[in-house]
Amino acid sequence: MSSASDELRPRGAEERLVNPEVAKAGDESERGQDGGRLAHAEGASRPLSAEPAARREREPQPRGAKIRGDRPIDQAEAAERFLAAPLHQKAHDERLWDLRKKRDAAAHGIPEWEELRELASQIKAHTLSNLDTYLEQFEAAAKANGVHVHWAADGAEHNRIVHAIMRDHGARTLIKSKSMLTEECGFRHYMAGVGIEIIETDLGERIQQLDAEEPSHIVVPAVHKTRLDVAEVFARTLGTDPDNDDVHYLAESQRETTRPHILSADAGMTGCNFAVAETGSVVTCTNEGNADLSGNVPKLQIHSIGIEKLIPRIEYLGVFIRLLSRSALGSPITQYTSHFRGPRAGTEMHMVLVDNGRSARLGMEEFWTSLKCIRCAACMNTCPVYRRSGGLSYGATYAGPIGLIIDPTYNKRKYSTLPFSSTMNGSCTNVCPVKINIHEQIFAWRKVLAEEHYIPALKQGMMKAAGAVLARPAAYRAAIGAADSALKVLPRFAVYNPLNTWGKKREMPEAPRETFHAWYKRERLKKTGQDA
C-alpha cells in the first residue's frame, strides 16, 4: 500500500538519495503495519507546490528579532517581517497546528489523561518544594555510580566547567545532542571562542547551526524553515543539490556528513529530559538516536542538567514519558528513551548541574511553577501569536507562551515586551501537560512590568487610562457606547490608523446594535414586569 507522502515525493528522488535503500518499500523503520509511512514521523512537511524545486517561487526566509544589548526586544517588528513572508508564515502555522491536532488525538486516546496531568503536576510541585534534598540525593547516587558531579551557578560557570574538563583531556572536538540548557548558556558560542569545535547531531539543531541561527522551537528547532530553505543551507554548507528539496535526500545528506564527526569526536554531550534522584541517572528522549551516539561513542561523556529536571524516583518516570511525546508531537512515545547512569569501562562520565537563575525563580511566589516545564512545546504549537510570528521573533532562547513567563526572570528590561505578545486566550494552560497556569502568569508579568516601569511611557499612560475607565462601570459603558457609535459612522481611514494597533493585519469587529448590558437590562425589565 502506498501512502500520501509517497505520492508527494518527487519522481526519481530515490535515485538521488545518498543511500537509496532508505526509501525502499520494505523499510519498516519508517512504516506502520499497514505499509504506510508513520504520520508522526514526517509531520506536515509537504512540498509547497507540485513544481520541481528549481522552478518554485523562492521566498527569502525572514530573520529573527534584532538584538541590541539589553534594549527591549521589538518582537512586533520581527513578527511583521515574518507575516510579510506568506509562504513561510502559512507553512509555519500549518505545521504547528498539525502537531496541536495530533496532540489532541493522542490525549483523547488515553482515558486517564487528566489524571496523568494532575499527577505530573503534583510530582513536580513536590520535587521543587524539596529540591535541595533531591539534589543532594542525586549527587550521592551519581557519585556512587562512578560519575564526576559538578555544580554551576550560572551559564558562564557551566561553560567554564565543560571547557576545563575538555582541556584536562586534551579534547578539541565535541558532538552534542539537542539541549535548550546549553542554548540558554551560550555554550556553542563560548566554545567557538576558545577554539573547540562543536557539532550538533540533532537534524534541526544542525540545520540551525549551519545557518548561524538559534533554534526557533524547543522540539523542532528549524520548524520556521521551508524545505527550500534547508536545501539552500545544505547546498551552501554541505555541497548538496540546491534544487533537490526531498526530505529523505536532505536528512540522509546531513547524516552522511555528520557521522564522521561522531566517530572521530573527542567528547560527547547530551542534555537532560529527566534526572532521577533515586538512581543518579540522566534520561533523554529523542527520535533520532543522536543522544545515544553523543553519550556513548566518545570516551569522554558530559551531561548538562538543569536543576529543575529532577524527579524523585524511577517509577515516576512512566508518568512523564506518557505525557511528553504525546504533548510535543502527538506520538505515543519517543523512538529512544535512554538512561545514562554511569561510565562504561574505559570511559569517563561527567554531570554538570546548572542553576542559572532557577533558584531565584523558585522564590518567586507567582512564577515558581514555571519550573515544572518539561519542554514539550505544546503551548507553542497552540499559540496563535507564536504560530503566526515565528519563534525567532521573540529574540530569546525560550519563545512562545512558556518564554513569556521564563524570559523576564533573566532580564526584565530586555524581555519587557514579550508578556504583551499574547492574546490571553488560555489555550497554552489547557494543553500544558504539567498544568502550569501560563496565561495567568503572563498577566501577572504584565502587572509587574507596569508597576516597575519597564514598559514605555505611552503604554503606561494608555493602561492607566484604561484602568480608570474599567474601574468605573458607568464610564466603561459610556466608552463602549461611544466606540460602537464611532465604528458605525467613521470612515475607514479614521479607524485604521497607526494609533489603532488592533487594526493591523485584522479587521475590527462589527459594532453590535446594542451592548450586552443594554440587552440584559431591557430583557430583565421585561421579565420583571411580567412576573409582577
Side-chain angles (χ1 to χ4, degrees):
M1 178 185 294
S2 64
S3 67
S5 57
D6 293 324
E7 296 171 3
L8 287 167
R9 188 177 302 119
R11 292 186 178 182
E14 288 84 352
E15 288 73 26
R16 296 198 299 273
L17 289 171
V18 180
N19 287 327
E21 62 269 19
V22 301
K24 289 182 178 178
D27 183 9
E28 296 179 0
S29 66
E30 296 182 3
R31 296 176 181 273
Q33 294 180 350
D34 63 353
R37 291 196 180 276
L38 297 176
H40 67 265
E42 293 192 33
S45 180
R46 298 287 184 269
L48 295 175
S49 75
E51 288 289 320
R55 295 202 299 268
R56 287 184 212 153
E57 178 185 355
R58 292 180 181 267
E59 178 184 80
Q61 180 210 312
R63 294 291 160 168
K66 298 171 183 176
I67 309 299
R68 301 183 179 92
D70 281 350
R71 291 178 59 184
I73 295 293
D74 193 345
Q75 195 267 344
E77 184 275 333
E80 286 278 356
R81 286 188 278 109
F82 195 79
L83 288 166
L87 295 179
H88 286 81
Q89 193 276 323
K90 183 175 185 293
H92 190 261
D93 189 14
E94 289 181 352
R95 287 170 184 166
L96 294 175
W97 190 244
D98 177 73
L99 294 177
R100 163 63 204 267
K101 290 189 294 184
K102 288 174 179 174
R103 174 265 174 204
D104 290 350
H108 294 156
I110 301 181
E112 65 273 22
W113 180 258
E114 290 304 319
E115 286 78 4
L116 284 170
R117 290 180 69 212
E118 180 61 31
L119 184 56
S121 182
Q122 290 180 8
I123 292 171
K124 277 291 188 178
H126 165 77
T127 309
L128 292 168
S129 298
N130 300 276
L131 190 57
D132 55 343
T133 300
Y134 287 120
L135 284 170
E136 291 175 354
Q137 183 183 1
F138 177 87
E139 179 186 34
K143 286 182 174 179
N145 295 336
V147 176
H148 299 273
V149 180
H150 310 263
W151 297 85
D154 54 28
E157 187 173 7
H158 164 271
N159 297 340
R160 290 194 298 269
I161 288 170
V162 176
H163 180 206
I165 294 169
M166 296 192 66
R167 185 182 58 235
D168 292 345
H169 290 77
R172 305 298 301 171
T173 59
L174 179 143
I175 56 170
K176 65 181 290 289
S177 64
K178 184 159 66 65
S179 163
M180 294 308 296
L181 175 60
T182 58
E183 296 290 344
E184 182 185 317
C185 296
F187 175 72
R188 204 166 62 224
H189 301 289
Y190 174 90
M191 285 300 185
V194 296
I196 292 178
E197 183 183 18
I198 308 296
I199 301 294
E200 297 284 354
T201 59
D202 174 86
L203 175 58
E205 285 281 358
R206 183 63 172 157
I207 291 168
Q208 290 304 94
Q209 181 184 24
L210 291 173
D211 201 24
E213 275 191 332
E214 307 301 320
S216 71
H217 189 279
I218 290 175
V219 176
V220 275
V223 69
H224 61 291
K225 281 179 162 61
T226 66
R227 296 152 63 117
L228 286 174
D229 293 333
V230 178
E232 289 178 356
V233 171
F234 282 8
R236 185 175 73 248
T237 57
L238 304 181
T240 56
D241 179 0
D243 295 326
N244 186 354
D245 68 335
D246 174 71
V247 292
H248 300 285
Y249 168 75
L250 294 171
E252 183 65 10
S253 298
Q254 188 275 153
R255 186 181 298 116
E256 287 286 316
T257 57
T258 303
R259 285 300 170 96
H261 292 289
I262 294 174
L263 295 174
S264 63
D266 298 323
M269 171 182 277
T270 79
C272 169
N273 288 99
F274 306 100
V276 185
E278 178 184 37
T279 60
S281 57
V282 168
V283 179
T284 63
C285 303
T286 69
N287 284 313
E288 300 173 32
N290 55 302
D292 296 73
L293 294 171
S294 299
N296 286 303
V297 175
K299 291 186 177 181
L300 177 59
Q301 308 161 42
I302 305 170
H303 303 278
S304 294
I305 309 163
I307 59 174
E308 85 285 9
K309 294 298 183 71
L310 260 69
I311 59 173
R313 302 174 63 179
I314 194 73
E315 67 185 80
Y316 297 155
L317 188 61
V319 175
F320 294 97
I321 294 299
R322 296 185 75 193
L323 289 167
L324 179 59
S325 192
R326 286 179 170 89
S327 296
L329 302 172
S331 57
I333 195 170
T334 50
Q335 306 297 325
Y336 301 88
T337 300
S338 309
H339 298 243
F340 299 94
R341 187 164 182 171
R344 293 171 287 110
T347 68
E348 191 170 302
M349 181 180 288
H350 295 257
M351 294 182 180
V352 186
L353 291 157
V354 185
D355 187 321
N356 202 36
R358 287 158 173 78
S359 293
R361 200 188 322 161
L362 191 57
M364 296 179 179
E365 184 177 356
E366 290 188 282
F367 307 113
W368 72 271
T369 57
S370 63
L371 290 165
K372 293 181 180 181
C373 177
I374 61 173
R375 305 294 193 265
C376 69
C379 62
M380 295 179 173
N381 300 338
T382 196
C383 176
V385 175
Y386 177 88
R387 295 200 321 265
R388 290 167 177 81
S389 61
L392 295 180
S393 69
Y394 293 77
T397 299
Y398 301 106
I402 191 63
L404 304 190
I405 63 176
I406 290 179
D407 296 330
T409 66
Y410 295 114
N411 190 324
K412 288 180 184 177
R413 182 171 188 264
K414 185 174 182 178
Y415 303 119
S416 58
T417 63
L418 298 189
F420 296 91
S421 299
S422 171
T423 65
M424 300 292 290
N425 61 70
S427 182
C428 48
T429 298
N430 291 338
V431 300
C432 178
V434 288
K435 304 184 77 170
I436 302 172
N437 58 334
I438 300 175
H439 73 290
E440 293 177 349
Q441 291 192 39
I442 293 172
F443 177 76
W445 267 118
R446 292 182 181 184
K447 182 179 178 182
V448 168
L449 294 169
E451 290 176 347
E452 298 184 13
H453 306 292
Y454 281 103
I455 61 177
L458 176 61
K459 180 174 283 189
Q460 286 190 58
M462 292 173 65
M463 292 177 69
K464 187 175 181 179
V469 172
L470 293 171
R472 297 170 175 79
Y476 171 74
R477 293 179 194 129
I480 290 295
D484 289 345
S485 300
L487 285 174
K488 293 175 184 177
V489 300
L490 287 176
R492 185 175 179 83
F493 74 85
V495 176
Y496 294 90
N497 60 70
L499 294 177
N500 178 18
T501 54
W502 176 273
K504 280 188 175 183
K505 304 294 182 180
R506 57 187 170 187
E507 291 292 312
M508 294 291 291
E510 185 177 348
R513 290 184 300 174
E514 61 180 338
T515 65
F516 172 80
H517 183 267
W519 172 86
Y520 179 81
K521 185 177 181 180
R522 174 169 49 79
E523 294 298 316
R524 184 65 177 171
L525 286 173
K526 283 183 183 178
K527 186 175 181 181
T528 303
Q530 290 172 356
D531 291 343

